[in-house]
Amino acid sequence: MTTAYKIGTIFYATKACEFYEVVAATPKTVTVRQLDYTRELGDGGSYYSPKLGQYIGEEKRRKVSQADGSIANWWGRAYPWDGNEQYNHFDPYTD
């Protein structure tokens, strides 16, 4: 199975509460840049949304998993973002 992503695809890493935008792609790899985000406190956790076009950090090239279409980040896996605000009950900034 080959999963190819388009430039502009957003990935979300649940454990690290991070968003990444694809800035270059091949059939087996993506080059991503981490996006800044907004964080709103909620009941027992936080809600996260990316700030599109507002990058933090340098470009990083990542191999796309042929098993599930995810990419690796420093804390686990990042998956294509569904476009909705993301809730995380494990908040690395308050826990």
Side-chain angles (χ1 to χ4, degrees), residues 65-76:
S65 167
Q66 298 307 302
D68 63 5
S70 68
I71 60 172
N73 74 333
W74 67 275
W75 191 326

Side-chain angles (χ1 to χ4, degrees), residues 10-36:
I10 306 294
F11 283 85
Y12 177 65
T14 305
K15 288 183 183 178
C17 304
E18 296 174 343
F19 294 91
Y20 300 91
E21 183 175 351
V22 175
V23 296
T26 71
K28 294 185 179 183
T29 66
V30 291
T31 301
V32 295
R33 286 193 70 188
Q34 187 175 348
L35 289 164
D36 198 1

